[in-house]
Amino acid sequence: MDNDGQKKFMHLPEREIPVFSEVDVLVCGGGPAGIGAALAAARNGASVLLIEQRGYLGGMATVANVPAFCPYTDHEKPVIRGIGLEILEDMKGRMEVGFQEEWRGELDWVPIQAEVLKLLLDEKMQEAGVSLLFHTFIGDVIEQNGMVDAVIIHNKTGTQAVKAKIYIDATSDADLVYHAGGQLTQGGDEGELQPGTMCFMLHNLDRKRFLAHVDEYGVDLKHAINKAKSEGTLNVVRDWAGISWLNDQTAGFNFGHIFGIDGSKTEDLTHGAIAGRALVNHITEWLRTHIAGFEQAFLSLTGEQVGIRETRRIVGDYVLTSDDFQGCRSFPDDIARNAYFIDLHMANAQSGMTMVHLPPGQSHGIPYRSLLPVGIENVIVAGKCISTDRATQGATRVMPNCFAMGEAAGTAGAMVSKQGLNSSRSIDVKQLQAQLLRQGAWLGEAFNEA
Ligand SMILES: Cc1cc2nc3c(=O)[nH]c(=O)nc-3n(C[C@H](O)[C@H](O)[C@H](O)COP(=O)(O)OP(=O)(O)OC[C@H]3O[C@@H](n4cnc5c(N)ncnc54)[C@H](O)[C@@H]3O)c2cc1C
């Protein structure tokens, strides 16, 4: 900025940059959507490069330490299957014996041990033959007439280009679509966004003492939070804390909100990191002094980044709406199904949560068209930022869904490249669905039981 508040611009001199790699499918971002996409594309025979700005995979589960996977089921059966279910079961299989016993047969709200997940994902990528490039940020694209020609990457080596036949935008903020000049929308009518949360991990807890205290005095955490809020000893807005126990001494926490953070702005992420750590420190101190079993709590970790629930959404060939959600609508081009509830966290301290549940056994379809950004031919979007209205994003955004959308995007990407097509819209969607079913996906009775 200038002294008078005017934004200043500079001219970047034209220069040649090296092409780092040319692949069939380039997956941008290594969260649940990117993981599903990369594994599916490689298993379907494509050469795949996955680029991730951190030094590991997992997205919000490992970057922000989001402590549990949302439900895989509709309370009656798993709706998220395929690669997402494989990763869940494989992670559970590597956890401590006690954890395995506790969570055997469970598919909903399974706690995440980030280190187990990171290693598992490294190994899965190696087995599938996915090339990985960590510590690399995608900062731009070269685009012409709705076709992305290359993405521009920045890392220790410098600035380079990566070319692919098809690009998968799994950045969760639709970075590729943004840089390609695609149509985007964000937040609510007033620009409101769901808050962020700095998740954290505590050790030296005594789960048995905590639970016994709840049993004996009938005083649960919600009650304690409300009492503390009214007495002014705890500065949080919502009287809820997500606690995911990894063992009797260790738990991950999704507790507290940081308002006014736009995760597509680095200044806001910076503020969120600082405010988030301060809030975690305050909450931990309160837990130590007020909650039985938490007296010796040892704070071992906060997220590398404040967890971001909502930023940009693409405008795709179809915008999935809350009417579709509530009507449990199916589409001829469904590539996954969602049974998770609309879980829209309050945008500020004065507003409330919006929660809309589907009945048990019910889900709605996610059409392939919601993954295709209007006006861009060779980018498929998967994960948090697909084309939905704001309320529906509050449901589709969760990790199991992102695995499933990613798997569909990667499978479609491999089809585009193998069939020598140049558009995500040219594939035969029936063929894509048939392949997803062979891979174990659930697309609803009409597809799976046909
Ligand atoms: C506080 C919080 C609590 C939540 N609770 C739950 C829960 O309990 N259970 C659940 O299932 N879901 C939960 N969610 C939702 C869920 O974690 C995310 O919506 C989900 O992880 C989105 O998956 P994704 O693959 O689209 O993106 P992400 O998980 O965000 O992954 C995107 C990846 O892309 C990388 N990336 C982004 N931009 C670039 C770039 N330009 N260059 C290189 N790399 C890039 C990022 O580093 C990241 O690894 C929660 C989210 C938050 C924030």
Side-chain angles (χ1 to χ4, degrees):
M1 291 280 184
D2 218 340
N3 287 343
D4 60 4
Q6 292 291 308
K7 200 166 193 173
K8 276 178 144 184
F9 290 89
M10 293 185 72
H11 182 72
L12 195 64
E14 226 172 72
R15 60 174 168 146
E16 280 196 338
I17 54 169
V19 174
F20 170 76
S21 176
E22 287 190 58
V23 288
D24 292 336
V25 179
L26 175 65
V27 178
C28 303
I35 293 160
L39 289 176
R43 288 174 184 178
N44 278 286
S47 62
V48 182
L49 173 65
L50 186 159
I51 295 180
E52 166 56 50
Q53 61 176 319
R54 328 276 169 178
Y56 48 82
L57 300 172
M60 285 295 122
T62 51
V63 172
N65 281 96
V66 168
F69 286 117
C70 279
Y72 275 65
T73 76
D74 59 10
H75 301 292
E76 290 181 357
K77 60 185 174 305
V79 290
I80 302 301
R81 305 184 188 181
I83 288 172
L85 193 53
E86 170 192 324
I87 289 169
L88 180 77
E89 292 295 5
D90 287 359
M91 185 197 78
K92 281 164 66 178
R94 290 178 178 214
M95 302 288 274
E96 288 177 347
V97 174
F99 182 98
Q100 292 192 31
E101 280 164 7
E102 186 175 344
W103 289 95
R104 184 164 297 129
E106 296 291 335
L107 300 178
D108 295 351
W109 299 112
V110 177
I112 298 168
Q113 191 173 348
E115 291 309 316
V116 170
L117 188 61
K118 286 180 194 170
L119 182 64
L120 172 71
L121 295 171
D122 287 345
E123 290 174 10
K124 286 215 171 283
M125 293 296 159
Q126 283 161 16
E127 276 162 26
V130 174
S131 301
L132 294 172
L133 189 64
F134 288 154
H135 305 294
T136 299
F137 190 74
I138 295 153
D140 208 347
V141 305
I142 301 175
E143 177 270 347
Q144 229 181 0
N145 302 326
M147 294 292 286
V148 169
D149 189 32
V151 304
I152 306 300
I153 60 171
H154 307 285
N155 57 25
K156 276 283 188 191
T157 316
T159 300
Q160 299 175 85
V162 178
K163 289 171 72 67
K165 293 179 184 149
I166 188 106
Y167 299 84
I168 299 195
D169 186 343
T171 59
S172 85
D173 302 315
D175 284 9
L176 257 67
V177 176
Y178 169 72
H179 290 303
Q183 290 182 38
L184 295 159
T185 178
Q186 176 161 317
D189 294 342
E190 320 274 284
E192 67 273 27
L193 289 165
Q194 294 189 62
T197 294
M198 182 62 90
C199 298
F200 58 101
M201 176 81 72
L202 295 180
H203 297 275
N204 281 354
L205 307 178
D206 185 339
R207 172 157 61 157
K208 291 195 176 102
R209 192 167 131 66
F210 169 68
L211 294 178
H213 199 264
V214 171
D215 269 359
E216 193 176 342
Y217 300 104
V219 178
D220 61 9
L221 202 54
K222 192 180 169 83
H223 177 93
I225 294 171
N226 272 320
K227 185 164 178 287
K229 270 158 56 79
S230 64
E231 289 168 353
T233 52
L234 181 63
N235 186 19
V236 295
V237 171
R238 193 178 171 206
D239 60 1
W240 177 89
I243 308 183
S244 301
W245 292 93
L246 289 167
N247 56 37
D248 283 348
Q249 296 80 40
T250 312
F253 288 74
N254 172 1
F255 188 4
H257 284 136
I258 309 292
F259 296 101
I261 304 286
D262 176 348
S264 62
K265 292 196 178 124
T266 308
E267 305 89 305
D268 284 21
L269 288 174
T270 306
H271 166 65
I274 295 166
R277 283 189 287 270
L279 183 60
V280 168
N281 186 52
H282 165 69
I283 290 174
T284 305
E285 198 45 48
W286 177 78
L287 288 169
R288 275 194 203 113
T289 45
H290 289 82
I291 302 299
F294 288 12
E295 295 86 351
Q296 307 298 323
F298 177 87
L299 173 64
S300 64
L301 188 72
T302 54
E304 180 183 334
Q305 181 204 289
V306 61
I308 297 295
R309 293 184 173 83
E310 181 181 17
T311 58
R312 306 177 189 121
R313 308 187 302 276
I314 63 158
V315 177
D317 288 1
Y318 185 78
V319 181
L320 196 63
T321 66
S322 45
D323 282 348
D324 299 328
F325 172 94
Q326 298 203 33
C328 296
R329 215 174 144 198
S330 296
F331 301 88
D333 59 335
D334 278 341
I335 46 80
R337 294 192 77 78
N338 166 56
Y340 188 66
F341 57 100
I342 291 177
D343 183 10
L344 212 53
H345 289 233
M346 61 271 271
N348 56 55
Q350 288 73 46
S351 56
M353 299 280 295
T354 303
M355 291 175 159
V356 185
H357 290 260
L358 292 177
Q362 298 297 309
S363 59
H364 67 85
I366 300 177
Y368 181 55
R369 284 165 296 155
S370 291
L371 277 52
L372 306 182
V374 163
I376 303 177
E377 287 304 317
N378 58 348
V379 175
I380 307 176
V381 176
K384 191 174 86 180
C385 53
I386 65 158
S387 175
T388 65
D389 65 13
R390 179 161 189 253
T392 309
Q393 191 267 354
T396 53
R397 68 187 174 91
V398 296
M399 292 186 272
N401 293 338
C402 293
F403 281 126
M405 292 184 249
E407 179 165 1
T411 306
M415 285 172 62
V416 172
S417 73
K418 270 205 298 200
Q419 294 172 14
L421 307 169
N422 65 0
S423 167
S424 59
R425 294 175 177 83
S426 309
I427 58 163
D428 177 350
V429 176
K430 296 252 165 315
Q431 217 183 327
L432 170 62
Q433 290 165 326
Q435 182 56 23
L436 290 173
L437 293 178
R438 278 193 289 277
Q439 289 166 199
W442 169 256
L443 302 182
E445 282 83 4
F447 290 96
N448 285 69
E449 288 160 22

